[in-house]
């Protein structure tokens, strides 16, 4: 197995997830890992959970998955409302088998996963978390941190053995331990994993990109190369669904159009 895809932050966006899964299938990639936040903000929590359960090898716990299962922590009001709505939708599933499957999936998500693998001629130790290697569920690592808080980024790198895949900020790019940050564009959308360079790789968000590009984001790894992919999807349909649900704030719809 030297090819796999990694997705994160689906946020109940079925239109985006469908397009991403089709692209992965088209490339013939059979192994998919997920960095969490399957639910929250968006209109299709059941459908997205079912697809992630069926199509991925495993998934780690995101703060919105935690919020749905236990309680929202540090959420603003609209995010909190979306989380309570998501719980209500999952709790009102009539078919017990489906309901049990979704809740037991959410209830058994680990905070991290690790792989030790050969990537072409290189070998890698890869950690997978939702947010950061220090606080796997809740800590934000922003691109600006490399300038405004380099000490924080250096401390985070002390916790990274080699490569760490993260999501959470919905902003894709690569952090190196200088510290430095590179947008996917600046790398020609490819980061080569090499034996003696540590990297924290943010894979962006499938269902709610926030880097001013409204296309769904994910990565796939082929040999030692991490490829950043962006895909246009029918965000207008997702927006309409959100606006038709009273408990979901219209801002969750508008940000899909604007990529923010
Ligand atoms: Fe998220």
């Amino acid at each position: 197995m030297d090819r796999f895809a990694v997705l994160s932050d689906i946020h109940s966006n079925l239109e985006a997830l469908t397009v991403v899964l089709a692209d992965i299938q088209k490339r013939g990639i059979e192994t998919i890992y997920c960095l969490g936040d399957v639910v929250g903000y968006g209109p299709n929590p059941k459908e997205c959970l079912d697809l992630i359960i069926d199509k991925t090898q495993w998934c780690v716990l995101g703060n919105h998955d935690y919020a749905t299962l236990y309680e929202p922590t540090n959420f603003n009001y609209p995010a909190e409302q979306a989380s309570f709505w998501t719980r209500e939708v999952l709790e009102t599933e009539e078919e017990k088998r489906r309901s049990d499957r979704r809740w037991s999936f959410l209830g058994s998500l680990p905070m991290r996963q690790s792989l030790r693998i050969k990537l072409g001629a290189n070998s890698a130790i890869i950690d997978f978390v939702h947010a950061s290697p220090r606080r796997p569920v809740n800590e934000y690592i922003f691109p600006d941190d490399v300038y405004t808080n380099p000490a924080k980024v250096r401390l985070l790198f002390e916790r990274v053995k080699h490569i760490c895949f993260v999501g959470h900020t919905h902003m894709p790019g690569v952090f190196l331990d200088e510290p430095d940050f590179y947008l996917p564009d600046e790398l020609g959308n490819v980061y080569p994993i090499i034996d003696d360079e540590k990297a924290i790789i943010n894979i962006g968000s499938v269902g709610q990109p926030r880097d001013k590009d409204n296309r769904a984001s994910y990565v796939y790894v082929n040999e030692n190369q991490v490829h950043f992919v962006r895909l246009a999807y029918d965000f207008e349909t997702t927006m309409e669904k959100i606006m038709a649900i009273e408990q979901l704030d219209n801002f969750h719809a508008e940000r899909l159009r604007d990529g923010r």
Side-chain angles (χ1 to χ4, degrees):
M1 191 275 297
D2 56 359
R3 292 208 308 161
F4 59 88
V6 195
L7 352 160
S8 191
D9 297 275
I10 292 94
H11 286 298
S12 301
N13 185 334
L14 182 60
E15 288 70 33
L17 179 59
T18 306
V19 165
V20 165
L21 290 174
D23 191 68
I24 293 170
Q25 189 178 22
K26 198 181 75 193
R27 293 178 196 277
I29 297 168
E30 288 172 357
T31 306
I32 308 175
Y33 306 126
C34 177
L35 301 187
D37 275 9
V38 180
V39 297
Y41 298 126
N44 287 106
K46 289 179 179 179
E47 295 79 0
C48 290
L49 278 167
D50 292 347
L51 278 170
I52 292 297
I53 293 169
D54 288 340
K55 305 285 184 188
T56 66
Q57 225 60 23
W58 44 249
C59 179
V60 298
L61 178 72
N63 56 319
H64 285 257
D65 310 314
Y66 181 94
T68 299
L69 189 63
Y70 301 108
E71 59 172 323
T73 38
N74 300 323
F75 277 33
N76 59 33
Y77 183 76
E80 185 176 273
Q81 289 308 106
S83 150
F84 292 145
W85 176 81
T86 301
R87 187 183 298 168
E88 193 185 305
V89 168
L90 297 180
E91 279 176 345
T92 51
E93 167 66 59
E94 284 174 10
E95 207 183 309
K96 187 176 179 313
R97 189 187 55 87
R98 286 172 189 265
S99 172
D100 288 353
R101 191 166 174 251
R102 293 178 193 130
W103 285 113
S104 72
F105 171 80
L106 284 171
S108 58
L109 294 174
M111 288 203 276
R112 63 175 81 234
Q113 287 279 12
S114 293
L115 284 180
R116 206 174 270 270
I117 48 172
K118 271 274 183 213
L119 298 170
N122 299 71
S123 51
I125 302 171
I126 309 183
D127 292 313
F128 300 82
V129 291
H130 177 65
S132 104
R134 179 164 63 176
R135 293 178 53 207
V137 184
N138 273 301
E139 183 171 42
Y140 290 91
I141 316 172
F142 288 111
D144 277 356
D145 287 343
V146 303
Y147 309 111
T148 60
N149 199 350
K152 166 186 166 184
V153 183
R154 284 200 197 93
L155 276 174
L156 293 175
F157 267 102
E158 283 179 18
R159 307 236 168 188
V160 176
K161 288 179 221 85
H162 184 199
I163 303 296
C164 184
F165 280 106
V166 301
H168 195 42
T169 62
H170 303 198
M171 292 192 265
V174 177
F175 295 86
L176 300 180
D177 63 0
E178 303 276 328
D180 229 331
F181 176 77
Y182 296 91
L183 291 164
D185 264 358
E186 295 172 306
L187 301 167
N189 297 312
V190 177
Y191 172 74
I193 293 174
I194 49 175
D195 286 345
D196 55 358
E197 185 170 76
K198 286 185 180 186
I200 296 174
I201 302 175
N202 193 309
I203 66 171
S205 166
V206 168
Q208 196 196 79
R210 293 181 192 161
D211 59 346
K212 306 271 163 64
D213 179 343
N214 67 15
R215 295 175 300 165
S217 174
Y218 82 97
V219 302
Y220 69 91
V221 178
N222 186 15
E223 300 208 322
N224 71 324
Q225 309 220 300
V226 181
H227 295 261
F228 289 85
V229 182
R230 299 305 286 257
L231 297 164
Y233 74 94
D234 179 12
F235 61 86
E236 282 167 341
T237 294
T238 323
M239 288 180 73
E240 280 167 23
K241 289 181 186 176
I242 291 174
M243 289 189 290
I245 297 166
E246 199 190 332
Q247 295 92 326
L248 299 182
D249 195 292
N250 283 353
F251 175 61
H252 302 322
E254 288 155 20
R255 67 193 309 176
L256 296 183
R257 179 191 56 219
D258 304 337
R260 68 187 164 101

